[in-house]
Amino acid sequence: MQNRVKIGMFGYGCVGQGLHDVLLNSRGFRTDIKKICVKDRNKPRRIGADHFTFEKNVILEDPEINLVVELISDPEEAYHIVKQSLMSGKNVVSANKKMLAQHLPEMIELQQKHNTSLLYEASCCGCIPIIRNLEEYYDNEMLLSVKGIFNGSTNYILSKMYNENMDYPTVLKEAQALGYVEADPSLDVEGLDARDKLAIITLHAFGLFLDPDEIFSYGISSISTFDLQYAREKGLKIKLVPTVSKIDDTTITSYVIPQFVKPEHFLYNVENEYNGVIAEAAFSNKQFFYGRGAGGHPTGSAVLSDISANSYEYRYEYKKLFQKIETNYTRNIPIEIYYRYRRKEDLELIPFSEIHESYKSRDHNYVVGTVNLEDLYRLRPMLKNRKVFLARTPDNGTQAEK
Ligand code: HSE
């Protein structure tokens, strides 16, 4: 049975407005947004001032509002809003991946203690329903890995640089104008947004809370035309690929790293703001989810799906977490990378166990070799300030490796 939903919403930015459009066009589902709480009093808005409030308690203390939809960018503020809502018996829909990745254990406790529900499909991969699939379809399947493209803006940047030879600052601005980029763009381009989504997905896929800081993440901010040309010459593309995978029965590893992909790879044709998720399980084998990963309308559509699910009393059961199957985490794995560098000391920084290919010219040098992920993780701060770029070499291209 569908329950009546009275919504109090926080934020009216790209996703908030996207949700509004999606709601206006939804035929099957009718709901009321009673009030929208926003920060900026002077910003011109496309709907009347009577829809808005600047005081969060107007929503949080309104007994008629039974669902809080949190769509702001500030993770700290979002944390307090979501926490207070759950504690006061209101259900919540949130899209705030940074906040969720940091506070999921507490959020699960709050839901249990106050018998409330927090849904957040829109936090991961735009309109691809990956969390609900992990919860419901893969609840008893032995997952082997989940990987893909989880960030729309970096995929947009990589696509435009590769396909149209656009330069990085121009295409970043374009992605910002299209509403794909976070208020703090470094979250996207340094791989941190993809990392936060990976932490959320890891909980639903493998039942393990990972502090996002424990995940090695390397973004695309230092990519150069040389790297793209290297990819083109080898018939490859570069994608930013978050991965969580089993390395044995009881251990998983995870990382976010640019990766060269071959034309036969599922991710090769995932372009622009689109995302793709490959879930591999022992019995169902590989399934590929594809859809728009950023932007007001696709994300608004995921939020609407959660609002609707909430009205039917759907809640996450965190099945993998409560199955309590032994799951350990390691970064102690070898990984083959392409490493483009300039100076001798930049090469010496990386403790390669093997070097398989080496190239030197006046302006650009690179090696392809094997390094331990733990070493890369340890070297994160040092990698930042150098003119270097690294990317995983392609998967073998066999069906099993795709
Ligand atoms: N900045 C995010 C992205 C928005 O580019 O994917 C959607 O989460």
Side-chain angles (χ1 to χ4, degrees):
M1 245 259 300
Q2 192 175 22
N3 294 325
R4 195 176 132 274
V5 183
K6 224 8 163 207
I7 295 174
M9 184 159 128
F10 285 85
Y12 197 63
C14 177
V15 180
Q17 293 177 49
L19 170 66
H20 205 177
D21 291 341
V22 176
L23 267 176
L24 289 174
N25 285 288
S26 157
R27 294 189 173 195
F29 185 64
R30 298 256 170 263
T31 182
D32 261 344
I33 298 183
K34 188 170 178 190
K35 268 295 174 230
I36 306 171
C37 182
V38 288
K39 216 169 37 184
D40 188 344
R41 288 172 190 263
N42 303 315
K43 206 169 170 178
R45 298 198 164 84
R46 56 185 205 176
I47 51 173
D50 55 324
H51 289 90
F52 296 100
T53 176
F54 306 102
E55 174 45 58
K56 66 179 180 185
N57 286 335
V58 167
I59 291 177
L60 296 176
E61 290 173 6
D62 182 338
E64 204 194 9
I65 289 176
N66 55 5
L67 179 66
V68 167
V69 176
E70 179 283 301
L71 303 174
I72 64 174
S73 54
D74 179 347
E76 204 45 43
E77 187 64 25
Y79 166 70
H80 293 293
I81 290 167
V82 174
K83 184 172 172 174
Q84 199 177 327
S85 304
L86 292 173
M87 286 170 66
S88 59
K90 297 185 193 307
N91 293 332
V92 180
V93 169
S94 170
N96 203 310
K97 48 263 161 133
K98 190 168 195 299
M99 182 279 288
L100 290 161
Q102 278 167 359
H103 297 288
L104 268 175
E106 186 184 356
M107 292 297 161
I108 294 173
E109 261 183 52
L110 286 171
Q111 290 176 76
Q112 290 182 322
K113 190 163 169 205
H114 300 279
N115 191 25
T116 42
S117 155
L118 168 63
L119 300 179
Y120 40 84
E121 189 64 72
S123 67
C124 291
C125 308
C127 59
I128 299 176
I130 188 62
I131 298 176
R132 236 180 283 165
N133 270 291
L134 291 172
E135 276 283 299
E136 306 305 330
Y137 185 86
Y138 294 103
D139 57 341
N140 279 302
E141 245 281 32
M142 200 184 7
L143 275 162
L144 301 177
S145 69
V146 183
K147 60 176 136 178
I149 294 171
F150 298 178
N151 181 273
S153 46
T154 46
N155 202 45
Y156 187 86
I157 294 169
L158 291 171
S159 300
K160 293 280 175 180
M161 287 180 81
Y162 187 93
N163 298 324
E164 297 172 33
N165 278 317
M166 285 177 72
D167 63 84
Y168 182 93
T170 309
V171 67
L172 174 60
K173 273 202 198 107
E174 204 176 280
Q176 282 174 312
L178 290 163
Y180 301 156
V181 182
E182 298 300 303
D184 171 3
S186 69
L187 294 174
D188 292 301
V189 298
E190 304 302 342
L192 306 176
D193 177 78
R195 176 201 70 176
D196 291 340
K197 291 166 177 166
L198 184 62
I200 297 170
I201 282 176
T202 299
L203 174 64
H204 289 273
F206 294 99
L208 192 70
F209 291 121
L210 279 183
D211 177 343
D213 272 345
E214 292 294 314
I215 302 175
F216 173 75
S217 54
Y218 190 81
I220 61 156
S221 61
S222 64
I223 196 167
S224 72
T225 48
F226 179 83
D227 307 316
L228 291 158
Q229 193 49 32
Y230 171 91
R232 272 188 212 101
E233 280 168 14
K234 297 200 180 276
L236 306 167
K237 285 183 184 168
I238 303 176
K239 300 290 180 187
L240 182 62
V241 183
T243 301
V244 55
S245 62
K246 270 196 147 169
I247 58 160
D248 61 39
D249 270 359
T250 53
T251 315
I252 60 169
T253 190
S254 72
Y255 43 85
V256 177
I257 192 167
Q259 184 178 348
F260 293 99
V261 293
K262 293 181 178 176
E264 58 269 31
H265 198 287
F266 285 122
L267 301 179
Y268 187 86
N269 290 318
V270 178
E271 296 283 35
N272 300 322
E273 79 277 23
Y274 278 78
N275 282 188
V277 183
I278 306 161
E280 184 181 9
F283 299 101
S284 52
N285 208 326
K286 286 202 172 67
Q287 280 174 306
F288 179 49
F289 302 81
Y290 172 75
R292 289 169 81 197
H297 286 156
T299 315
S301 150
V303 175
L304 176 66
S305 175
D306 274 352
I307 294 173
S308 170
N310 170 79
S311 76
Y312 291 102
E313 296 182 8
Y314 176 76
R315 54 180 60 197
Y316 300 139
E317 291 173 54
Y318 299 96
K319 296 190 179 101
K320 290 276 160 94
L321 178 69
F322 292 114
Q323 282 167 4
K324 296 201 188 311
I325 295 167
E326 182 186 350
T327 309
N328 306 302
Y329 183 63
T330 186
R331 289 184 300 259
N332 183 17
I333 56 153
I335 169 166
E336 191 187 64
I337 60 167
Y338 153 97
Y339 180 64
R340 189 251 306 144
Y341 65 97
R342 193 107 188 226
R343 302 168 311 167
K344 196 165 152 267
E345 52 268 42
D346 293 333
L347 178 61
E348 285 163 357
L349 178 71
I350 309 286
F352 284 103
S353 56
E354 277 175 39
I355 291 195
H356 311 130
E357 196 183 326
S358 174
Y359 169 89
K360 275 195 177 138
S361 69
R362 208 177 52 136
D363 297 323
H364 304 283
N365 312 312
Y366 72 80
V367 291
V368 173
T370 304
V371 60
N372 194 292
L373 182 65
E374 186 65 55
D375 287 323
L376 286 182
Y377 179 81
R378 180 176 51 80
L379 292 167
R380 279 185 311 170
M382 267 89 93
L383 286 166
K384 255 188 189 162
N385 306 317
R386 299 178 187 231
K387 289 198 163 68
V388 300
F389 177 70
L390 59 90
R392 257 190 90 199
T393 51
D395 292 332
N396 285 336
T398 61
Q399 199 61 28
E401 283 293 319
K402 256 188 184 178

